[in-house]
Amino acid sequence: GISALCYAIIKFVPSPRDVDLTNGNTWVFVIPMAAGLTVDALFQLPLLQCNDGLCWNEDVITQIDLLWVLLSGLVVAFVFTLAFRGVLGIRRCYWGAALVVHAIVAYLIAKALPFLTKQLL
């Protein structure tokens, strides 16, 4: 639990000296992924994992959710491959990837809100 959280914070949370905060990729891709990984690592702590019959890994973020995120990442990677080969425009590819990332973030936040409100109250 605590080791996963520490690992996520140390390895995946970007520090201002390591990333260019003026680059749009940082805000569109890096920060949402780092935040998601850190939140997930936080809820691996035994103290926070289950609350009032809801468990983070079984009820909130399920294996199906993780598989959809993985599939989305693979599709985005493939679309970028097509863009780099000149089949698709790179601008369209970036906008599509940003839409996918933010759709995933919105979906996971919507699924996690009931769990998070129970944790906070």
Side-chain angles (χ1 to χ4, degrees):
I2 194 77
S3 61
L5 179 61
C6 290
Y7 185 80
I9 290 171
I10 292 168
K11 296 291 185 182
F12 295 105
V13 174
S15 69
R17 65 179 163 79
D18 294 334
V19 296
D20 180 11
L21 294 175
T22 62
N23 187 337
N25 286 336
T26 302
W27 294 100
V28 173
F29 300 112
V30 175
I31 291 178
M33 288 187 280
L37 187 66
T38 304
V39 168
D40 189 55
L42 178 69
F43 284 106
Q44 299 309 311
L45 295 172
L47 175 68
L48 299 175
Q49 200 168 45
C50 292
N51 186 14
D52 290 338
L54 281 178
C55 289
W56 184 258
N57 292 334
E58 290 87 23
D59 302 313
V60 181
I61 307 301
T62 64
Q63 287 181 350
I64 298 298
D65 295 325
L66 295 176
L67 289 172
W68 276 111
V69 169
L70 179 63
L71 178 63
S72 300
L74 292 171
V75 168
V76 166
F78 179 70
V79 169
F80 269 104
T81 301
L82 293 176
F84 295 145
R85 293 178 186 256
V87 176
L88 292 174
I90 193 72
R91 176 174 276 169
R92 186 173 286 171
C93 182
Y94 269 106
W95 279 108
L99 180 68
V100 168
V101 168
H102 286 85
I104 290 169
V105 169
Y107 169 75
L108 295 177
I109 287 173
K111 271 196 87 177
L113 277 178
F115 182 81
L116 295 174
T117 55
K118 286 185 179 185
Q119 286 292 99
L120 297 174
L121 299 176

